Amino acid sequence: MRLQPSFFPALHERVRAALDAAGLDALLLDDPLDVAYLTGFFHFPNERPVVAYVPLDGPVLLLVPDLEREYAADQRAAAELVVYPEFPGERSPWRVLADALPALPARAGHAPSTSVGRVAALGAAFPGTTWVTSDIVGTLRLRKTPEEIALHTEAARIADAMLAEGARLVASAVAEGTELPTETELAGHVTRYGAALMYAEHDEVVVVPMLTGGLVYGGPNSAQPHRLPGGDRLRPGEPFMLSLGCAVGGRFVESERTFLLGAPTREQRRYYEVVREAQQVGTEALRPGTRCADANRACLDVIRRAGLEEYLRHRQGHGIGLGFHEPPWVADGDDTELAPGMVLSSEPGVYVPGHAGYRISDTVLVTDDGPRRLTSFPRDLTDIVIGA
Amino acid sequence: MRLQPSFFPALHERVRAALDAAGLDALLLDDPLDVAYLTGFFHFPNERPVVAYVPLDGPVLLLVPDLEREYAADQRAAAELVVYPEFPGERSPWRVLADALPALPARAGHAPSTSVGRVAALGAAFPGTTWVTSDIVGTLRLRKTPEEIALHTEAARIADAMLAEGARLVASAVAEGTELPTETELAGHVTRYGAALMYAEHDEVVVVPMLTGGLVYGGPNSAQPHRLPGGDRLRPGEPFMLSLGCAVGGRFVESERTFLLGAPTREQRRYYEVVREAQQVGTEALRPGTRCADANRACLDVIRRAGLEEYLRHRQGHGIGLGFHEPPWVADGDDTELAPGMVLSSEPGVYVPGHAGYRISDTVLVTDDGPRRLTSFPRDLTDIVIGA
């Protein structure tokens, strides 16, 4: 699945309207996801600049190194290509771009994410241009269009299927009395399963550096929220977490569940139920007009009121789209008002050092009618107990 | 394998000497690889700042969000932890760092890779501090220490084993007359094989977001140098490329070969032999005192003289270390003089649209005695023909 070509001219017009309102002659974007958003070209980021350039008048340009030229054409990038030979090159990529323009802009914007080194190089290649920081594209990316939501919805179906397959693999090892998988093996298995499903069912797969994947950890390892999967095996009696995600048409979702291996202890049951309640309350709060920080507070207050505040390690969630993590942040300090078309993770957790972590995450679409869970793997205690 | 704790105090002293020489009171580094270099802490990068702060006097600090606290301790990060609750937070991470300092620096440096948005946030949190761009750590990272070279050497052994396993898998499908693998299947197979080898043979695996992996593509797809692997199967009679890499202790190498499936045609043989000769000449040029741009020219001139200039898409190579691509660039426009301890890819290629790409890459250490190939999968035509 891929966005229809008609998506891009409409988007370019919205960017131009915002440029006009901001008094800018052009916008230059060098974040790989901003480039994919504006042109449909996905690539493996490295030191070679890949840049989308949107002038107020005239065609959108895509600056690429020669080694990406055919790949950009193959992906039908919605922009005119400007190709530089190689990086760093005798003439800098920025100079090649400047030379391709009919006239240099008087006042141009770049994203806040552009590096200080690049802005200095731009200044040298665009004499007379005033460069300012502009978040025009970051603001547009906050609210997803119906075409994008269709991609998120399909990604959610696949992420849920990956969760089910991971649970099935573990349940089958328990039932057959065979060795339980290591974190790495289980992560590899569900990653391959999700990718195979996409290739089997989709005519066109938009390949991104992490098409399907996730974090998998059990027992005390799972008390470290962002620990990468290692060689430890799952162990009977311990919880384990499948924190999975995938991208369809470059649009991500995540779907995460904590599973209990064997009959739950009272302690395990308590932690799980508190997180389940927090996730339910937090998800219900994702409604148009609610401030992100307020949803987060309602969500985490469930955990605080249960006396588990010391085990909090992170906020309720984050925006998700072309980026696996992107604004808005469902967190203290983010006063963004939720609006229809925003897609967010809702993923409170508690992390008990030396014991385990418990987290439940769904990807949620904000609609006029309230929150809609795009991922929907079941969440009752009986749904996540394996081999009891 | 992991660097010994003694690596870090010695490195911190080198950074402080450079700070002193540059008239700086402190250096702040927010690139995940700079952080890993200075503290030994590897993490999955996201919007939450993770920062190493090296003052001229006093302990090195590592600023992390609460959710990385235990993970950093677990990895024995060589720095004092400063923990902020969450991102964005009611008090910004930068403010938390400033408040943890006994005094704000008068003049401090950040890397060229730091974003414009972050420098603005730093300015707000450090009133009175003058921030300047400094490449102190980038310069130190150019030359690897003996401890780092030992990690690269072990990574090279594993990358070569991944290549051999990929070739074996394809040869066995040919011999048994079974279906050839898809690009994705073959990429997944060698990635898992390399990771399993590490876990089987190493007491400690330093997990990084891409521990083992690579690009795999056949036939016309391989004419696009950075195309990501997709669902197409390898086809008899066509070349295919295994462009693999891995990291030991966080230090990368790459090892890449083009294979020919079936008896080579005259055309295939010609392209392959020209690339092999260019890679030999280019690798021989990687000697102390040679400028990067000159090595690149000697290498690519072999391809030009053979009349294949139109099929060039990229330079000879790049530095490799904590980054899969990092300076120096073995390319036009980089006048860096090669020096002992530099580790570089040597990977010329030709890319014939509609036909295939041909590339050979080794990871090469510059020594006083000249270039030393760390990867050493054989390169003769007979070594890379499968099923003839």
Side-chain angles (χ1 to χ4, degrees):
Chain A
M1 291 176 79
R2 185 182 274 276
L3 289 168
Q4 290 304 306
S6 59
F7 174 82
F8 297 99
L11 174 60
H12 296 168
E13 279 317 301
R14 293 167 68 203
V15 175
R16 287 194 175 101
L19 278 175
D20 200 24
L24 293 173
D25 302 309
L27 191 61
L28 179 147
L29 295 147
D30 68 338
D31 177 277
L33 300 180
D34 286 341
V35 170
Y37 184 58
L38 286 166
T39 71
F41 175 54
F42 291 84
H43 71 289
F44 193 82
N46 56 62
E47 68 286 355
R48 297 177 179 96
V50 170
V51 165
Y53 181 88
V54 188
L56 198 52
D57 298 300
V60 174
L61 304 180
L62 174 62
L63 177 73
V64 293
D66 199 26
L67 95 169
E68 303 280 18
R69 178 160 43 103
E70 282 109 353
Y71 197 23
D74 216 46
Q75 290 188 43
R76 305 187 297 277
E80 285 187 13
L81 293 189
V82 176
V83 180
Y84 62 90
E86 183 46 297
F87 180 82
E90 290 175 351
R91 200 166 52 125
S92 87
W94 314 110
R95 205 43 201 282
V96 171
L97 176 63
D99 290 349
L101 300 174
L104 294 188
R107 193 177 156 79
H110 57 73
S113 59
T114 301
S115 77
V116 170
R118 284 201 170 169
V119 173
L122 277 172
F126 283 69
T129 298
T130 301
W131 287 97
V132 300
T133 302
S134 163
D135 204 22
I136 285 174
V137 164
T139 303
L140 286 175
R141 280 177 54 187
L142 289 172
R143 295 177 67 172
K144 280 63 179 171
T145 66
E147 300 96 309
E148 290 178 289
I149 290 166
L151 299 175
H152 283 284
T153 303
E154 174 62 2
R157 186 183 69 82
I158 289 171
D160 279 347
M162 290 167 65
L163 264 188
E165 173 62 16
R168 188 204 61 73
L169 184 82
V170 175
S172 121
V174 170
E176 292 165 21
T178 54
E179 204 170 34
L180 289 167
T182 66
E183 295 171 359
T184 306
E185 287 165 357
L186 186 51
H189 180 79
V190 296
T191 301
R192 291 192 298 283
Y193 178 84
L197 203 60
M198 280 190 201
Y199 280 105
E201 299 184 353
H202 293 174
D203 284 339
E204 184 174 28
V205 172
V206 174
V207 182
V208 295
M210 193 190 78
L211 187 62
T212 57
L215 301 175
V216 174
Y217 29 38
N221 290 349
S222 62
Q224 297 173 19
H226 271 195
R227 189 186 175 98
L228 298 166
D232 292 334
R233 274 183 206 288
L234 306 189
R235 281 182 291 267
E238 290 184 347
F240 69 93
M241 217 185 291
L242 293 179
S243 171
L244 307 182
C246 70
V248 167
R251 269 62 181 179
F252 278 99
V253 301
E254 59 178 66
S255 186
E256 310 183 353
R257 291 293 181 272
T258 303
F259 294 89
L260 303 176
L261 253 177
T265 65
R266 205 168 67 170
E267 186 189 24
Q268 290 172 347
R269 185 188 303 259
R270 176 182 172 222
Y271 294 135
Y272 185 81
E273 290 293 358
V274 169
V275 170
R276 191 173 70 88
E277 173 69 9
Q279 206 252 4
Q280 179 63 29
V281 168
T283 302
E284 275 301 314
L286 299 176
R287 297 175 176 278
T290 302
R291 292 184 329 135
C292 282
D294 293 337
N296 176 67
R297 186 166 307 111
C299 175
L300 301 191
D301 274 352
V302 174
I303 293 171
R304 295 188 186 105
R305 279 197 304 267
L308 301 182
E309 178 161 17
E310 68 177 304
Y311 301 136
L312 281 175
R313 292 289 179 277
H314 61 74
R315 64 199 174 201
Q316 179 188 349
H318 53 79
I320 186 166
L322 280 153
F324 197 68
H325 285 202
E326 62 180 37
W329 314 110
V330 190
D332 278 345
D334 192 328
D335 289 336
T336 307
E337 271 196 15
L338 293 170
M342 288 185 179
V343 177
L344 307 149
S345 74
S346 177
E347 52 169 321
V350 298
Y351 303 89
V352 185
H355 169 66
Y358 297 76
R359 178 170 71 245
I360 298 173
S361 179
D362 283 306
T363 299
V364 180
L365 171 69
V366 180
T367 78
D368 282 321
D369 301 328
R372 185 199 307 162
R373 288 180 198 258
L374 298 180
T375 52
S376 55
F377 194 90
R379 298 181 303 285
D380 281 349
L381 188 68
T382 50
D383 297 316
I384 56 87
V385 170
I386 293 177
Chain B
M1 293 176 77
R2 184 183 276 275
L3 289 169
Q4 291 304 305
S6 60
F7 174 83
F8 298 100
L11 174 61
H12 297 167
E13 280 318 300
R14 294 167 69 203
V15 175
R16 287 193 176 102
L19 279 174
D20 201 24
L24 292 173
D25 302 310
L27 190 61
L28 180 148
L29 295 147
D30 68 339
D31 177 277
L33 299 181
D34 287 340
V35 170
Y37 183 59
L38 287 166
T39 71
F41 175 54
F42 291 84
H43 70 290
F44 193 83
N46 57 61
E47 68 285 354
R48 297 175 178 96
V50 170
V51 166
Y53 181 87
V54 188
L56 197 52
D57 298 301
V60 174
L61 305 179
L62 175 61
L63 176 74
V64 294
D66 199 27
L67 94 168
E68 303 280 18
R69 178 160 43 102
E70 282 109 352
Y71 196 25
D74 217 46
Q75 292 187 43
R76 306 186 296 280
E80 284 187 12
L81 293 188
V82 175
V83 179
Y84 62 89
E86 184 46 299
F87 181 82
E90 289 174 353
R91 197 166 54 124
S92 86
W94 314 110
R95 203 45 199 280
V96 171
L97 176 63
D99 290 350
L101 299 175
L104 296 188
R107 191 176 158 78
H110 58 72
S113 59
T114 301
S115 76
V116 170
R118 284 200 170 169
V119 174
L122 278 171
F126 284 69
T129 297
T130 301
W131 288 97
V132 299
T133 303
S134 163
D135 204 20
I136 285 175
V137 165
T139 303
L140 285 174
R141 280 178 54 188
L142 288 173
R143 295 176 67 172
K144 280 64 180 171
T145 66
E147 300 97 310
E148 292 178 289
I149 291 166
L151 299 175
H152 283 284
T153 303
E154 174 62 2
R157 187 183 69 83
I158 290 170
D160 278 346
M162 290 167 65
L163 264 188
E165 172 62 15
R168 190 204 60 72
L169 184 83
V170 175
S172 121
V174 170
E176 292 165 20
T178 54
E179 205 170 34
L180 289 167
T182 66
E183 296 171 357
T184 306
E185 286 165 358
L186 186 52
H189 179 80
V190 296
T191 300
R192 291 193 298 283
Y193 177 84
L197 203 59
M198 281 190 202
Y199 281 105
E201 300 185 352
H202 293 174
D203 284 340
E204 185 175 28
V205 172
V206 174
V207 182
V208 295
M210 192 190 79
L211 187 63
T212 56
L215 302 175
V216 174
Y217 29 37
N221 290 348
S222 63
Q224 297 173 18
H226 271 194
R227 188 186 176 100
L228 297 165
D232 291 335
R233 270 180 210 290
L234 305 190
R235 281 182 292 267
E238 288 185 349
F240 70 94
M241 217 184 293
L242 293 178
S243 171
L244 308 182
C246 70
V248 168
R251 269 60 182 182
F252 278 99
V253 301
E254 59 178 65
S255 186
E256 309 182 354
R257 293 292 182 271
T258 303
F259 294 89
L260 302 176
L261 254 178
T265 64
R266 205 168 68 170
E267 185 188 24
Q268 290 171 348
R269 184 188 303 260
R270 176 181 173 223
Y271 293 135
Y272 185 80
E273 289 293 359
V274 169
V275 170
R276 191 173 70 88
E277 172 69 9
Q279 206 252 3
Q280 179 62 28
V281 168
T283 302
E284 274 302 313
L286 299 175
R287 297 175 175 279
T290 302
R291 293 184 329 136
C292 283
D294 292 338
N296 176 66
R297 187 166 306 110
C299 176
L300 301 191
D301 274 352
V302 174
I303 293 170
R304 294 188 187 105
R305 279 197 303 266
L308 302 181
E309 179 161 16
E310 68 177 304
Y311 302 136
L312 281 175
R313 292 289 180 277
H314 61 74
R315 63 198 176 202
Q316 179 189 348
H318 54 78
I320 184 165
L322 280 153
F324 198 69
H325 285 202
E326 61 180 37
W329 314 110
V330 190
D332 279 346
D334 191 329
D335 289 336
T336 306
E337 270 195 15
L338 294 169
M342 289 185 177
V343 177
L344 307 150
S345 74
S346 177
E347 52 168 321
V350 298
Y351 303 88
V352 185
H355 168 66
Y358 296 76
R359 179 170 70 246
I360 297 173
S361 180
D362 283 305
T363 299
V364 179
L365 171 68
V366 180
T367 79
D368 283 320
D369 301 327
R372 185 199 307 161
R373 288 180 198 259
L374 299 180
T375 53
S376 56
F377 194 89
R379 299 182 304 284
D380 281 348
L381 187 69
T382 50
D383 298 315
I384 55 87
V385 170
I386 293 177

